Amino acid sequence: NAGVTQTPKFRILKIGQSMTLQCAQDMNHNYMYWYRQDPGMGLKLIYYSVGAGITDKGEVPNGYNVSRSTTEDFPLRLELAAPSQTSVYFCASNPIGVSASSYNEQFFGPGTRLTVL
Amino acid sequence: LAKTTQPISMDSYEGQEVNITCSHNNIATNDYITWYQQFPSQGPRFIIQGYKTKVTNEVASLFIPADRKSSTLSLPRVSLSDTAVYYCLGVTTSGTYKYIFGTGTRLKVLA
């Protein structure tokens, strides 16, 4: 298994440009997440999805959009890039078991380093 | 979701045991306490999780007292490669399975 993969690894955008950060997982996980991490800070949840066709906002969703048409893919869209979106973006997934009393660890991708100038 | 509070940073020397404490006063009955480790330029990696009492695996031990208002991650005999940021989070198992990471504890292991 490749696990969680993210593309691109690095990207520089100009203010106002748009782009899509790709995330894919081959573990058949139900739940997928997008986080951003600013320098020296913790991770902040942007959006998450509990399955194909279902997404919900996290802590910092403004300026981003997501879709989940398949179990494997969870792209993150930036429509009008702003300098405040300069950050490292991590995608993660985890399997949610049938039993609500169990916990499943998150598996993270390698991240996408985005700079908006 | 439980709000967690951890020390911002800690220093230790190689070979010592390191204990990182996390406070989570409003932890809910359904929350599990989970710890992640993050090296520079990498995504976080799961270390250990627990509900109460003590859990041990090949990497660490996790102590959770009966009132569950705090927990302690114990790293035995740390090495330079344990230098990382450690996050404590409460994960609810009812509802949406949201994971909220705080700022973590930056552990620096010195030679």
Side-chain angles (χ1 to χ4, degrees), chain A residues 52-65:
Chain A
I54 307 170
T55 62
D56 205 350
K57 297 177 181 179
E59 302 172 271
V60 289
N62 291 344
Y64 307 94
N65 280 301

Side-chain angles (χ1 to χ4, degrees), chain B residues 84-103:
Chain B
V85 178
Y86 293 82
Y87 297 96
C88 162
L89 44 158
V91 179
T92 182
T93 57
S94 64
T96 58
Y97 285 81
K98 271 187 182 178
Y99 299 74
I100 303 296
F101 287 79
T103 52

Side-chain angles (χ1 to χ4, degrees), chain A residues 33 37 94 100-101 103 106, chain B residues 32 36 38 44 87 93 97 99:
Chain A
Y33 306 79
Q37 186 172 36
N94 65 285
S101 65
Y103 167 80
Q106 280 193 312
Chain B
Y32 275 69
Y36 281 79
Q38 186 180 26
Y87 297 96
T93 57
Y97 285 81
Y99 299 74

Side-chain angles (χ1 to χ4, degrees), chain A residues 3 20 24-25 39 52-53 55 61-62 71 82 87 95 106:
Chain A
T20 298
Q25 52 91 9
T55 62
N62 291 344
T71 299
S87 191
Q106 280 193 312

Side-chain angles (χ1 to χ4, degrees), chain B residues 6-59:
Chain B
Q6 308 173 229
I8 293 174
S9 63
M10 295 178 68
D11 288 347
S12 181
Y13 288 94
E14 279 191 295
Q16 289 187 329
E17 178 184 72
V18 171
N19 295 310
I20 306 174
T21 299
C22 178
S23 297
H24 28 80
N25 291 321
N26 63 336
I27 191 168
T29 304
N30 292 323
D31 286 1
Y32 275 69
I33 299 302
T34 313
W35 287 79
Y36 281 79
Q37 175 191 56
Q38 186 180 26
F39 298 115
S41 302
Q42 294 185 26
R45 184 183 72 160
F46 173 87
I47 301 177
I48 197 167
Q49 62 135 349
Y51 187 78
K52 59 182 176 182
T53 63
K54 177 182 175 181
V55 179
T56 298
N57 61 23
E58 65 277 6
V59 176

